[in-house]
Amino acid sequence: MRLSTLGLEWFRGAAEMVELEAGGKSLVVYGQNGAGKSSFIDAVEHATRAGKIAHLSHEYSGTRSVLSIRNTHAPTGTFSQLHFAFGDGTTHTVDIRPDGSWSVRGNGTAHIQAWDYQRTVLRQDEVSQFIHGTKGAKYSALLPLIGLGDFETTATNLKHLAKAVSTEAGTPELKAKLDELKAKNAKVFGTATAAEILGVLQSLFAEYCAQDQVQTDEERSAAVLRAIDKRMEALTLEQTIHARLLEIASVDLDSLILTLRSAANKLVDSGEFFIVEKLEVLAATSRIVKEATEIEVMDCPACGKEVSAEAFKNHIANEQSRLEGVKKDYEALKTGRALLCDALSLVKRITALKELQPWRGEQTQAGLSDSLSYVDDLMIQTLRETIAEDDLKSIEEFLPPIISAAKKSSESAPASVKKLVDAKAEAELISELLISRTWRRTLKAANDLEAMVLRVEQEVRVEIRNRTVAVIEQITNDLKDLWKQIHPSLAIEDVHLYMPEESDKAIDIALKFHGVGQASPRLTLSEGYRNGLGLCIFLAMAMADNGKDEPLFLDDVVVSFDREHRGMIADVLNTKFKDRQVIIFTHDRDWYAELKHQLDASQWQFKMLLPFDNPSVGIRWSHTTSRFADARNHLPHRPDSAANDARKIMDSECAMIAERLELRLPYRRGERNDMREAHQFIERVIADGRKSLKRQAASGLIRDDAGLATLHTADGLLVTWGNRGSHTTNVTNAEAEKLLDSCEAALKVFACVDCGKKIWHAQVGSSRQCQCGNLRWVV
């Protein structure tokens, strides 16, 4: 929806309500630096970025940037206000309180919400921002244009879902438990197959509960455990003590510690610690490095080596592969630690049993008091997290005496008790192995689901990439056309956007510089060319918004453009944006004059801001769109400056008139050909005008003698007072004012008083005329 008016009150440079009246048309606004042009752009940014204005957010601007947003002379308690009115009659008003907080009202809020600041506004300091941004930032800027924001959200959510599946299923914990169970199985059953282990279960069942009715292995295992527990409960006190001591005696402490030390030594030899953490950091780094195009040398977060950016990706991949191997040793360490802690937990639990208290008393008297106290104080849960070498040495010091004492005390245990204890150990392990079937199914289901989710994410990303490539191709075609139109030089060609192969969320710019391919415009393009490219990209992105008729705001975007390339922009606006509202702010007086001549007056308006006086007066519009208004502001204090400005205005205006009328002028070498002054143009106009400048009279077409006389008068004053104003201060107020009046009158010679159109509005054969034909340049 097009903008009708934008009003500001006590906001930035505005005092009482001042309105930018566009009326749904495109608009060019001229104002000197400090006149208040950017206040209108700041208003758009405040409205579209939820109260944020980037260049005003700093340590001195106060809470909500109130010190920079509010007019410094706003009356106490007065609200600042931004008022947007749209072509459909709807409005959007932002009321800003004295503390910087704000609220909105009106029925046109949806229009503002549809404006994407990055694709709506281009400021002077933002022209080359897209070029200098990372590949990821470029992708983010184009994402709304690609129309795949929902797809990107879906892909991101799928990635998080895959991680959530692993977390919810407890995949890491299940893997650890299965690794631990595998080690226990190897110790008890060796290389026995699953069928052989089930055969052991059948034997136990036949011996201890053959009369029970069971259907499944799980039921059979539960029946065996119940039967064994029942027999254990039927043991005498002495037999129970023997059974418990046999469990302690079965602990192979040396083997457990040897396994743990071996795994730990492998990690020490590799020189790696924090394996999981490093792998996570490397995974994140591999994503980030795809966008790190500006860094020449980087430090690897895993090994600390300094690596060139070019080789960094391969280095990261190699580090990930190497650490994955080390990770297996780390998993073995965790398993060994878990098995040792299980053994320690068993010893601690059994030695604390009530029935073993007499035995403890005997061992205390035998000198095992310190060992038993050590076991009582063991923090098993802490040891499951980490076991240091000092911990192992303490275990080696205090545990063996207890295990030896248990072995000695259980030597006289009846064979039936020994058999029962062994059967219990086998039955408990078989029960765990059967339970692990569920663990394995859960793990497989989680892995399959995670893999499926990741496949869907990849499919979504492939779709995103395919669609992105299509949109980039469209934008690139527009970009190439715009670049050729604004920069017709063949030395810089094939400017295009592309997606790097190694990333799905990155976009960059490439071109050919004098026939040599360049991966980035930052390698060879000057600042002026970069800014030109930045403007072309912004406009190409705007063209990609098919069907949208939302305004574009350009704020002093041609500061670094030379005259040749700046002059091409009007042609772009006339041909590419005739159906789009464009609002241009500029402090370049010559460019403003060029645009007035070049842009279609039926679709464009032109306005001027008066120089800023003080905050209480605020932003003011000039009652005229003539550039002479600026010059007249100098009359009271600097009439020489007014005269000098008049001469400069006429130099640029007459050059454009000569171009429009295709005047024949003597050729001059070099810059002198482009640096002609108004006097030389007016002389030629008067000379040719005696035959060519015609106006309609009752008797037919006659020579416009009045117009020629007006031009002659202006020329004389420019040569005398105009030049004097440029080189001295010896110009009076009256002289300067007369010069300004004469120059304005001279320019009006080329506008028809009947239809208001310029003399070059239409071309008939080799001649030119206004719309109604009453003013002509006949060749």
Side-chain angles (χ1 to χ4, degrees), residues 168-180:
E168 288 297 317
T171 299
E173 294 80 5
L174 285 177
K175 287 180 179 178
K177 287 165 72 174
L178 288 169
D179 288 342
E180 183 181 342

Side-chain angles (χ1 to χ4, degrees), residues 735-769:
E735 289 172 339
E737 186 169 12
K738 184 173 181 179
L739 173 61
L740 289 169
D741 291 341
S742 180
C743 288
E744 283 194 282
L747 295 182
K748 289 178 180 177
V749 168
F750 302 99
C752 176
V753 295
D754 298 311
C755 67
K757 301 298 183 182
K758 300 293 185 182
I759 196 172
W760 51 79
H761 176 78
Q763 185 166 349
V764 180
S766 58
S767 301
R768 287 161 178 75
Q769 67 178 48

Side-chain angles (χ1 to χ4, degrees), residues 295-312:
I295 304 174
E296 294 182 359
V297 178
M298 306 179 76
D299 293 332
C300 175
C303 67
K305 291 180 181 177
E306 192 176 79
V307 186
S308 70
E310 185 176 351
F312 196 77

